[in-house]
């Protein structure tokens, strides 16, 4: 419908802005953070990745919201609607990518070596995953990744004292035999631990 959707804090509102620039709240999730949004072009449903409770919401075209899936991680940093009808979600801390079907059943499709899944692109034959690995700079502050070193279907890292930014291509053949087992199995190995603060926003050069 050519509208633009956005997430706002600190109350997790999702807004729709039409082509005339008129905006309205279509859903109030009640979550502190809405990190990511994705529209399913077939059904018109809107999916929202939130934090800090790891919930993924499905919002109907009429604005009715419901929790599709709740991960055991804190923040769902990115979501993507796949052409197969599944929803893909990436989280912080554990580097997990979930595949979630229409009934809310999920499993871990992929686990990256890096802590954060920052972006996803689902196509008919693969899921493309962009990750980052925040590191501590001098003084102990946690810094987000710089944009240098983003690749597709390969691995590279940015310069010293900055975080790694990595792109990988995940074959969707893993849907039948996921290497990391079920969502609950992978999550149980990670555990939530103590509540985490919100991930830092991407720096200027990061996609």
């Amino acid at each position: 419908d050519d509208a633009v959707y956005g997430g706002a804090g600190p109350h997790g509102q999702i807004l729709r802005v039409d082509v005339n620039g008129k905006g309205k709240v279509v859903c109030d999730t009640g979550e502190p953070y809405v990190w990511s949004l994705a529209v399913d072009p077939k059904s018109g449903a809107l999916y929202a990745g939130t934090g800090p409770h790891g919930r993924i919401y499905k919002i109907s075209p009429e604005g009715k919201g419901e929790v599709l899936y709740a991960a055991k991680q804190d923040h769902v940093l990115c979501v993507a609607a796949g052409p197969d009808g599944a929803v893909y979600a990436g989280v912080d801390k554990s580097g997990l990518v979930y595949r979630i079907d229409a009934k809310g059943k999920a499993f871990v499709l992929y686990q990256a070596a890096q802590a954060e899944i920052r972006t996803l692109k689902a196509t008919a034959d693969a899921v493309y995953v962009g990750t980052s690995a925040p590191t501590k700079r001098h003084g102990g502050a946690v810094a987000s990744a710089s944009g240098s070193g983003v690749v597709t279907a390969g691995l590279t890292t940015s310069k010293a004292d900055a975080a790694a930014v990595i792109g990988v291509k995940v074959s969707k053949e893993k849907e039948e035999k996921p290497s990391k087992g079920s969502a609950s199995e992978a999550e149980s190995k990670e555990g939530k631990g103590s509540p985490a603060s919100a991930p830092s926003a991407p720096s200027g050069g990061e996609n």
Side-chain angles (χ1 to χ4, degrees), residues 9-160:
H11 302 298
Q13 293 180 326
I14 298 173
L15 301 94
R16 180 186 182 274
V17 182
D18 65 21
V19 293
N20 297 315
K22 184 178 180 179
K24 68 175 183 179
V25 176
V26 297
C27 183
D28 190 341
T29 67
E31 305 286 347
Y33 304 103
V34 177
W35 289 108
S36 53
L37 296 169
V39 176
D40 183 345
K42 293 182 179 179
S43 67
L46 180 68
Y47 296 95
T50 69
H53 304 114
R55 296 179 183 134
I56 300 164
Y57 285 81
K58 179 180 180 181
I59 299 99
S60 71
E62 295 74 31
K64 181 180 179 180
E66 62 180 350
V67 176
L68 176 68
Y69 182 71
K72 290 185 178 180
Q73 278 66 42
D74 297 300
H75 298 278
V76 180
L77 300 180
C78 54
V79 289
D84 56 356
V87 177
Y88 298 86
V91 299
D92 70 335
K93 293 173 62 176
S94 58
L96 298 178
V97 177
Y98 295 90
R99 181 189 185 276
I100 308 157
D101 67 18
K103 296 181 179 179
K105 184 178 180 180
F107 67 77
V108 174
L109 178 68
Y110 178 73
Q111 182 169 16
Q114 296 72 42
E116 296 179 355
I117 306 297
R118 286 284 189 173
T119 185
L120 292 168
K121 173 67 175 179
T123 67
D125 61 346
V127 178
Y128 294 86
V129 182
T131 71
S132 70
T135 59
K136 290 185 178 180
R137 292 185 176 180
H138 299 298
V142 176
S144 182
S146 69
S148 60
V150 176
V151 299
T152 301
L155 303 179
T156 186
T157 57
S158 56
K159 60 186 178 180

